[in-house]
Amino acid sequence: MSQLHFLIAAENSGAERLARWLNENSDITVTDSHFFGQFGGLWPGREGKLESQLTWDRMVRAQAKRNSGRFLDLDRASYQRKLMANLIGSVVEFHLKESGDSRLLEKVCPYPGTSRIVFANIRRYCPESTMIRLVRDGRDVLVHHALAWLTRDAQGTDRYSYLIERRPDLGLGRFFDDHFIERWALWWSEIVRLGRKIQKIKEPPFLLRYEDLMREPGNGLEQLSSILKFEVPIEAEIKASQFQPRFRGQVLPGWSNFFVRRDGEVFQRVAGDVLEAMNYEVGDRWVDDLPEKLSWPPRCSQGELLEGLPFV
């Protein structure tokens, strides 16, 4: 399916901002259809309430169990494969017809534990599609994620008490906790590790580091345009600030403002090899440079104190 391409990244890696720019400045329509991952269940929404989420391949698998094509002379596997392929084609056709564009870019931020299935099913159902991997330093990803999930899963933590409950008696000496870093560093590293394995195949996905896009946005977009076959309009504004992930309208301080040595030790144990493989660090010396305790609060891009942001 040559009209369909994939932008794969961990959540809070800049994919949303990049997708928005492409949607507005090219003949590419960006979607977030959740085709793959075999995920079905409850997932915290923005306000912390659990919401039902279901990927298309999970829905098709359930449908195949109920109706395995016995009236169509198809075994269950064939029924599932053909139904999934037709649904993907129909979704792509619908979006292109409604938008008037010639290509569709599906933004994929895999749910935890689903990356292997996502990559495998893209290859299975969309072998002609181009995959683009967008990778951001996992430590910055975790900072953004922790703030975005404050009302979702942080109740009972010091960061929740400090930023949500605004307890005047609490000093925040540590922003993270071991469980959060272990869970989400594993999720980030899983996506990057699997992507690196796929990078070794005959026609590997294009890899774009978020930090390189920030440093030279024009060069990054030029590379993308050659891969996705679109032209950057002459009048299009290209600034690094357009691609920066934001939280409540603010560009957050760097990860080093949030990590203490214990955080670094846990992250290094879980995902240090990925940091090095992606050229973010060499070895584990960065951990030794971290403070034992935070000196808070840091300031955001517009000078506003982090603790003053409207988290709810």
Side-chain angles (χ1 to χ4, degrees), residues 206-263:
F206 173 70
L207 172 64
L208 177 62
R209 290 200 330 163
Y210 162 84
E211 291 77 12
D212 297 332
L213 180 63
M214 291 298 96
R215 185 166 52 251
E216 298 184 40
N219 182 55
L221 289 173
E222 184 177 343
Q223 294 178 30
L224 286 177
S225 69
S226 66
I227 293 169
L228 298 177
K229 310 300 181 186
F230 71 89
E231 293 186 4
V232 178
I234 298 177
E235 68 278 7
E237 187 178 21
I238 302 176
K239 294 181 179 179
S241 59
Q242 294 173 290
F243 306 101
Q244 289 178 312
R246 296 173 182 270
F247 180 79
R248 301 292 192 265
Q250 295 278 341
V251 177
L252 295 172
W255 63 266
S256 60
N257 292 278
F258 296 82
F259 272 67
V260 296
R261 186 167 301 171
R262 175 60 183 171
D263 302 326

Side-chain angles (χ1 to χ4, degrees), residues 12-63:
N12 300 313
S13 293
E16 182 72 28
R17 305 286 295 191
L18 176 58
R20 186 177 304 172
W21 191 94
L22 291 172
N23 207 53
E24 295 174 353
N25 295 280
S26 72
D27 61 345
I28 295 175
T29 290
V30 180
T31 58
D32 190 5
S33 301
H34 296 276
F35 284 130
F36 306 123
Q38 288 293 342
F39 182 86
L42 298 177
W43 190 253
R46 290 197 63 178
E47 304 304 323
K49 297 180 180 179
L50 293 177
E51 301 174 355
S52 179
Q53 300 291 333
L54 187 68
T55 56
W56 286 76
D57 54 357
R58 179 65 175 265
M59 179 186 69
V60 167
R61 187 176 71 175
Q63 173 66 19

Side-chain angles (χ1 to χ4, degrees), residues 296-310:
W296 263 55
R299 292 184 180 274
C300 297
S301 61
Q302 298 174 24
E304 185 172 357
L305 289 175
L306 179 66
E307 62 180 359
L309 291 180

Side-chain angles (χ1 to χ4, degrees), residues 11 43 112 142 145 149 153 179-189 267:
E11 192 176 348
W43 190 253
L142 260 64
H145 197 73
W149 278 57
D153 71 345
H179 175 71
F180 182 91
I181 292 183
E182 287 172 350
R183 179 186 183 188
W184 296 109
L186 179 62
W187 160 74
W188 172 79
S189 62
F267 193 100

Side-chain angles (χ1 to χ4, degrees), residues 22-306:
L22 291 172
N23 207 53
E24 295 174 353
N25 295 280
S26 72
D27 61 345
I28 295 175
T29 290
V30 180
T31 58
D32 190 5
S33 301
H34 296 276
F35 284 130
F36 306 123
Q38 288 293 342
F39 182 86
L42 298 177
W43 190 253
R46 290 197 63 178
E47 304 304 323
K49 297 180 180 179
L50 293 177
E51 301 174 355
S52 179
Q53 300 291 333
L54 187 68
T55 56
W56 286 76
D57 54 357
R58 179 65 175 265
M59 179 186 69
V60 167
R61 187 176 71 175
Q63 173 66 19
K65 288 182 179 179
R66 290 193 296 268
N67 180 6
S68 59
R70 59 186 181 274
F71 300 117
L72 301 174
D73 195 25
L74 291 172
D75 59 60
R76 181 182 294 180
S78 298
Y79 178 86
Q80 184 173 333
R81 184 174 62 255
K82 290 188 175 185
L83 178 58
M84 187 69 202
N86 275 276
L87 283 173
I88 294 171
S90 296
V91 171
V92 172
E93 181 182 0
F94 170 80
H95 282 287
L96 294 182
K97 181 179 179 180
E98 292 298 316
S99 67
D101 290 331
S102 59
R103 279 159 298 235
L104 187 144
L105 182 66
E106 170 73 3
K107 181 175 72 69
V108 183
C109 297
Y111 290 104
T114 68
S115 297
R116 190 178 301 277
I117 298 172
V118 168
F119 282 113
N121 278 349
I122 289 176
R123 285 298 183 193
R124 181 181 188 184
Y125 290 103
C126 311
E128 298 179 6
S129 297
T130 298
M131 276 194 280
I132 297 167
R133 296 172 54 219
L134 179 64
V135 176
R136 184 187 185 192
D137 189 323
R139 294 163 295 188
D140 281 315
V141 171
L142 260 64
V143 169
H144 199 137
H145 197 73
L147 291 171
W149 278 57
L150 270 176
T151 57
R152 302 185 194 186
D153 71 345
Q155 290 86 345
T157 66
D158 285 350
R159 62 182 177 276
Y160 184 89
S161 298
Y162 185 86
L163 294 169
I164 300 296
E165 296 176 337
R166 309 292 174 115
R167 282 176 45 185
D169 60 324
L170 178 66
L172 192 61
R174 186 185 181 194
F175 177 73
F176 293 108
D177 56 83
D178 285 9
H179 175 71
F180 182 91
I181 292 183
E182 287 172 350
R183 179 186 183 188
W184 296 109
L186 179 62
W187 160 74
W188 172 79
S189 62
E190 173 192 68
I191 297 171
V192 180
R193 282 195 184 101
L194 287 173
R196 291 188 69 238
K197 288 182 179 180
I198 293 178
Q199 208 73 29
K200 299 176 182 178
I201 65 177
K202 184 177 180 181
E203 296 183 5
F206 173 70
L207 172 64
L208 177 62
R209 290 200 330 163
Y210 162 84
E211 291 77 12
D212 297 332
L213 180 63
M214 291 298 96
R215 185 166 52 251
E216 298 184 40
N219 182 55
L221 289 173
E222 184 177 343
Q223 294 178 30
L224 286 177
S225 69
S226 66
I227 293 169
L228 298 177
K229 310 300 181 186
F230 71 89
E231 293 186 4
V232 178
I234 298 177
E235 68 278 7
E237 187 178 21
I238 302 176
K239 294 181 179 179
S241 59
Q242 294 173 290
F243 306 101
Q244 289 178 312
R246 296 173 182 270
F247 180 79
R248 301 292 192 265
Q250 295 278 341
V251 177
L252 295 172
W255 63 266
S256 60
N257 292 278
F258 296 82
F259 272 67
V260 296
R261 186 167 301 171
R262 175 60 183 171
D263 302 326
E265 291 170 350
V266 177
F267 193 100
Q268 179 67 21
R269 171 169 52 83
V270 175
D273 61 315
V274 181
L275 279 181
E276 185 161 0
M278 298 305 301
N279 298 316
Y280 289 119
E281 297 290 350
V282 177
D284 59 359
R285 292 186 60 182
W286 67 276
V287 177
D288 296 330
D289 295 332
L290 295 172
E292 293 290 342
K293 186 177 180 181
L294 290 178
S295 175
W296 263 55
R299 292 184 180 274
C300 297
S301 61
Q302 298 174 24
E304 185 172 357
L305 289 175
L306 179 66

